[in-house]
Amino acid sequence: MQNEGNPSEKNQGALHFEDSSTIVIVHGAWSSANDWLATAEHFRAAGNKVIAMNLPGHGSDDTPASATSLQLYIYEVLKSVGAEKDLIFVCHSFGGIVVRAVAELIAPQIKKIIYVAAFVPQNGDSLLSIAQTDAQSLISKNLIVDEAAGIVGIVKEAIPEIFMADAPEPVAAYVTENLRPEPLAPLATPVNITGPVNINEIYIYTENDRAVSHSLQQRMVKNAGIIRTYTLPSSHTPFIGHSPVLSAIISFEAL
């Protein structure tokens, strides 16, 4: 891990947020809140509040793909956080697009955004428009698009290499067998960003990422003007293979 700060100097012992900030975890595509259980438990065990909702059509949420939209995702996040203050958003992959759109609406409630291998859009960007510029990603070569059903899947044999090359084999096998197709419409919807928001932003790079390449991550960070960054020697899913270190970084940044 490379970073601009040392968590051990600022956060000895238990992961505890002295300012009682609320941690809001927004998962990415082909994912769910369940994937973040181990990381979220680090915070809950120390008595801190964590909100980790499933976006519509993900995890235990049974919203059909035909009813999902980027606007519905945004609405669900807004509903989950309500009027809470000092929010620290932790967003992964496509979750970065959702959170950046949310920040347009509730910036005064947000203390910090922590992007984890996440898309950081500019005005008019969609996940698909950004992903098309990522020549090193393996996703585009392994997509299974069903436009009639409004969903997109991943070639089964490619799932471990794309998302979790460093995960234990039983975990990779379980995810491969249970990965659900992703609603297509939200991935293609452009975001409306009016300009910079006055929010502290952090980016956690995943150096060995085959879904959102390290080079694309670096380009998005530069375009967004994000200064503070960390680097993990991780695949696209550091909450699986690097959960303790990821938790320590988030804890340090949340103090």
Side-chain angles (χ1 to χ4, degrees):
M1 178 186 71
Q2 300 169 356
N3 61 294
E4 296 179 353
N6 185 351
S8 65
E9 293 177 356
K10 190 175 179 181
N11 184 35
Q12 300 285 345
L15 304 181
H16 180 69
F17 306 132
E18 295 177 354
D19 58 2
S20 300
S21 299
T22 298
I23 310 305
V24 185
I25 299 173
V26 182
H27 65 77
W30 296 289
S31 187
S32 72
N34 189 61
D35 296 334
W36 283 81
L37 285 177
T39 302
E41 189 55 34
H42 281 277
F43 308 132
R44 291 196 178 102
N48 301 291
K49 184 169 184 178
V50 178
I51 298 174
M53 83 291 295
N54 285 307
L55 295 175
H58 296 78
S60 58
D61 185 281
D62 58 3
T63 303
S66 60
T68 64
S69 65
L70 180 59
Q71 191 58 44
L72 181 60
Y73 290 174
I74 295 166
Y75 170 76
E76 287 299 322
V77 175
L78 293 174
K79 186 171 69 172
S80 295
V81 302
E84 297 229 22
K85 304 291 186 181
D86 291 326
L87 299 171
I88 296 179
F89 275 96
V90 176
C91 50
H92 176 245
S93 199
F94 176 57
I97 289 180
V98 178
V99 168
R100 188 59 186 81
V102 167
E104 285 284 301
L105 304 173
I106 60 165
Q109 294 176 235
I110 303 174
K111 180 178 180 181
K112 186 174 291 187
I113 299 174
I114 302 175
Y115 299 95
V116 182
F119 287 91
V120 185
Q122 301 296 306
N123 187 44
D125 283 342
S126 69
L127 180 142
L128 292 183
S129 71
I130 300 173
Q132 287 170 359
T133 71
D134 191 359
Q136 295 177 320
S137 172
L138 296 180
I139 288 185
S140 62
K141 303 172 185 177
N142 292 281
L143 284 179
I144 305 172
V145 179
D146 185 340
E147 292 187 6
I151 57 176
V152 57
I154 301 289
V155 172
K156 185 175 180 179
E157 293 75 16
I159 290 171
E161 183 180 6
I162 293 173
F163 294 115
M164 61 196 100
D166 51 3
E169 193 281 330
V171 174
Y174 177 83
V175 172
T176 298
E177 291 299 322
N178 291 278
L179 197 75
R180 292 170 58 180
E182 180 72 14
L184 180 58
L187 305 182
T189 303
V191 292
N192 180 27
I193 296 174
T194 59
V197 290
N198 188 26
I199 299 172
N200 193 359
E201 295 178 299
I202 311 297
Y203 200 97
I204 301 176
Y205 292 119
T206 44
E207 196 171 28
N208 299 318
D209 202 320
R210 306 306 301 276
V212 181
S213 72
H214 188 209
S215 61
L216 174 59
Q217 293 175 29
Q218 291 173 311
R219 190 163 75 246
M220 290 187 292
V221 165
K222 181 179 179 180
N223 291 341
I226 297 173
I227 303 300
R228 190 167 179 81
T229 66
Y230 295 81
T231 300
L232 291 177
S234 171
S235 70
H236 191 57
T237 52
F239 44 84
I240 293 177
H242 297 264
S243 181
V245 180
L246 179 63
S247 299
I249 293 172
I250 295 169
S251 173
F252 173 66
E253 288 295 341
L255 286 175

